[in-house]
Amino acid sequence: MISIKERAYYILIGFFCFGIYFAIGQDQKLADSLIVEYNSGFYKGNELEILMNIAKEETNPDRKIEFSKLLIAKAAKDSSSSYSFLYTGYLQKGNAQLFKGNNPGALKSYFKSLEYANRTKDDKGIGSLMISIAGTYSAMGNSNSAQKYYNNGIQILRKVNDSIKVATALLNAGDDFFNAGKLDSALIYTRESVVIFKNINHTIGQAYSLGNMGMIYAEQEKDNLAESNINKAITILEELEDYYPISVYLTYMSDIYLRKNNLPAALNYAEKSLELAARYGLKEQISDANLKLSELYEVKGELGESLSYYKNHIAYRDSVKNIEAVQQMANQQDAQRRIEIDLLEQRRKNQSNISLGAAAGLLLIGILAIGLFRRNTFIRKTKQIIEQERDRSDVLLLNILPEETAAELKANGKVKARQYDAVTVMFTDFKGFTSFSENLSPEALVETVDFYFSKFDTIIEKHGLEKIKTIGDAYMCAGGLHDNNEDHAKRMVRAAIEIAAFVEETKKDTSASELSFDVRIGINTGPVVAGVVGTKKFAYDIWGDTVNVASRMETMSEGGKINIAENTYKLVKEEFVCEPRGEIQVKNRGMMQMYFVNAL
C-alpha cells in the first residue's frame, strides 16, 4: 500500500483521516483574524467560543498548542462551561502534538478528549477520537492497539451513519493491516472502503482505495488484479492532477512486471515514475525512482548504469537534506567570527583610550587603567566562554557524527557520500517488546530501552565499532567504516556475543526481572554507501543491500541467537563455532544461507 512505513501514510492520512493530520480543511487567515480580535479584547460572544475556533483553525502546531492549552485552562476554571470546550481543547492539542511527532503526548491528549466526549455523549466525536487514537498507535507501530480502536471507532461511526468517516477508517485500518503483513484482513477492510466511496461518489477516496487494493494484490502476487486496480487509480488521479501517488503506483507497477520477468516493461514504468516526479518536483519520489531503476539495471546486468542511478539516488537525498544543516553550521561560524572581531575592535578602542588618557594626567590614566583592566577581564572571560561553547558544540557534533565525518563537515561545509567495499552491519531487537511496551508508561518505556542500549553503546565502543542509530527497540551498528583494520567482522561477532551474554545475565537478575527480554541479533558483511542525512536533526546513516540483508538476518534470528549471513561466515569461521542452518526463504530475497554463532 502507498504507506509502506513512511511515504504515502501521510498522503493517505492527509486526504482522509479526520483528527489525525489536522492541517487539512483549516483556515489560517480566519485563525489570524480571530487572534487579532481576541487580543484586542473586543470580540463577540463567549471567550471560550473564540478560543475554541482559534484552536480549530490554527495550522501552526506551536500556536495551536498554545491556544488549546489556554482554552483548556479557562474551560476548567469555568464551572458553567460545557464539556465540549474541554473535548475540543484536548483534541486540537493532540492533533498539534501528533503533527510535531510527539506520539505519546498526542495519545495522552486524545484520551483526555475522549473522556469529555463520553461525558457529552457525542457519538460522532467519540467515534472520530477512536480513529485518531488508532491512527496514532499505527504510526507508533503498535498494530494490536491500533486495530482495537479502529474496530471500536468504526462500530460507533456506522451507528451515526457517517459514510465518509466510516470509509476513511476502513481504509486506514486496512493500511495498518498491510503494514503488519496481514494481507487478507487488509483486503477485507480496503475492499469495503472501495464500495462505500463508490456509493457516495467520493472520487479521491475511490482513487486511494483502488490503489491500495492494487498494492495488496501485488504483495499477494495476484499481478493481474493488482495491475487492474492500480491502473483505475492512476486514471482517476490523473484527472485530479494528484501526481505524487501516481509516481508511487508506477513504481509498484514496475515491481509487478519485474515479477513477470518482463524487464522492459518494468524499466518503462520506473522511468515514467522518475519522469513524472522530476516534472512536478516530487523530491522524495525522484530519489526512490532512481533507486528502483538502479535495482532494475542490476537485474539486467548493466552494473555501470545501475551504479549511476544509485549515485543519483544518494546524491539527490544528500543535496536536499544537507543544505539546511550545513547553512546552520555556517551561520554559527559567521556569528562566532563576528563576536571575535567585535572583541578585537573593542580592545583597539580601549588601547586608544589609554593613549588619550596618558596625555590628560596620571589621575585619568589610573582611572582608565582600572576601566581597561575590567574590560580586558571581560574580554578574556568572553573568549573563554566562546571557546567553551565551541568545545561543547564539537563534543555534541561527535555524539551525532563520526569524527572523520564531523571534521569534513566543519572543514568543507558539506559531507560527500562515500562507498565502502567491506563493512559489517549488525541489527538487534527484543523479542516480544511491542506487547510488553503496551503496559508501560512512556517514561518507563524510555527507561527500559535506555538500560539496554547504554550497555550496548559501551560494548560497541569497546570493540571499536560505530553505532549508527536506534529505531524503537532496534539497535543498528557497523564496523569497518572509519578504520583500516580488516577484522571488523570478528570484532562485530565478539560484540554480539557480549551483548547476548549481557541480556541473558539480566534475565537471571531478580532485581531486573521486569526488564528481561530475549535479544535477536543479525549480522551481514558487504559494501555500503555512507553519508549524512537530515535537515535540522541531521544524522549519519548507511544504505545498500548489505544493510537490508543484515536486517533480514535479525528478523530471521531467534531469541538469544546470533544469526549471520554467508558473507560474514566466510570471514569468521576460523575463529568461531558456527552452526549451519541451511538455506532459508527470505521475503523478497529468495533462499539464503544462514548460520548461528554458537561460541568462541
Side-chain angles (χ1 to χ4, degrees), residues 336-382:
Q336 185 171 295
R337 284 196 293 269
R338 285 196 297 271
I339 293 173
E340 292 173 347
I341 290 171
D342 290 343
L343 291 174
L344 290 173
E345 179 65 18
Q346 186 64 52
R347 172 178 283 182
R348 187 190 64 78
K349 290 180 179 179
N350 287 340
Q351 290 172 343
S352 177
N353 289 339
I354 292 173
S355 299
L356 293 173
L362 293 175
L363 179 62
L364 185 57
I365 290 175
I367 296 173
L368 290 175
I370 294 173
L372 177 64
F373 173 77
R374 289 177 177 176
R375 287 193 175 276
N376 283 338
T377 301
F378 168 75
I379 291 170
R380 286 196 300 272
K381 288 183 178 180
T382 303

Side-chain angles (χ1 to χ4, degrees), residues 60 74 127 139 189 233 267 285 295 326 486 503 507 552 563:
N60 180 291
K74 289 187 175 293
Y189 279 74
L267 282 166
Q285 192 56 23
E295 294 171 358
V326 171
E486 297 181 355
V503 174
K507 289 169 62 177
R552 296 296 189 195
N563 189 35

Side-chain angles (χ1 to χ4, degrees), residues 329 394 397-420 423 466 480-485 530-532 538 540:
M329 180 167 287
D394 289 343
L397 194 61
L398 289 174
N399 277 335
I400 299 172
L401 303 175
E403 183 175 357
E404 177 183 319
T405 305
E408 182 181 355
L409 185 62
K410 290 169 63 180
N412 304 325
K414 61 181 179 180
V415 176
K416 293 182 179 179
R418 292 187 58 186
Q419 172 85 39
Y420 294 89
V423 171
E466 191 82 52
L481 287 170
H482 301 103
D483 61 55
N484 296 320
N485 298 325
V532 174
F538 56 92
Y540 185 78

Side-chain angles (χ1 to χ4, degrees), residues 507-524:
K507 289 169 62 177
K508 298 176 182 178
D509 184 356
T510 57
S511 64
S513 60
E514 293 184 358
L515 305 178
S516 62
F517 299 98
D518 284 323
V519 67
R520 296 185 300 197
I521 302 175
I523 302 175
N524 182 39

Side-chain angles (χ1 to χ4, degrees), residues 310-311 313-323 325-326 397 400-406 408-409 414-420 423 425 466-469 476 478 481-482 527-535 537-544 547:
Y310 192 78
K311 285 181 177 178
H313 159 65
I314 296 300
Y316 194 87
R317 287 181 56 175
D318 287 350
S319 66
V320 171
K321 295 183 178 180
N322 277 343
I323 291 174
V326 171
L397 194 61
I400 299 172
L401 303 175
E403 183 175 357
E404 177 183 319
T405 305
E408 182 181 355
L409 185 62
K414 61 181 179 180
V415 176
K416 293 182 179 179
R418 292 187 58 186
Q419 172 85 39
Y420 294 89
V423 171
V425 182
E466 191 82 52
K467 176 182 176 181
I468 303 298
K469 61 184 175 183
M476 176 185 175
L481 287 170
H482 301 103
V528 303
V529 174
V532 174
V533 299
T535 53
K537 298 180 181 179
F538 56 92
Y540 185 78
D541 207 348
I542 58 177
W543 306 270
V547 179

Side-chain angles (χ1 to χ4, degrees), residues 168-241:
T168 301
L170 288 166
L171 188 59
N172 288 334
D175 177 70
D176 181 80
F177 274 128
F178 181 89
N179 289 331
K182 299 176 181 178
L183 300 181
D184 291 337
S185 297
L187 191 60
I188 292 170
Y189 279 74
T190 308
R191 183 181 288 132
E192 186 179 355
S193 74
V194 172
V195 173
I196 296 174
F197 280 130
K198 184 176 181 180
N199 288 339
I200 61 175
N201 198 27
H202 195 287
T203 310
I204 190 67
Q206 290 182 66
Y208 276 94
S209 55
L210 286 168
N212 287 358
M213 286 279 287
M215 298 282 190
I216 297 168
Y217 282 132
E219 288 298 313
Q220 293 178 331
E221 299 188 7
K222 298 177 181 178
D223 292 340
N224 291 334
L225 288 170
E227 186 176 351
S228 173
N229 280 273
I230 288 175
N231 280 330
K232 290 177 183 177
I234 290 174
T235 299
I236 297 172
L237 291 166
E238 284 177 337
E239 293 177 358
L240 297 172
E241 298 183 354

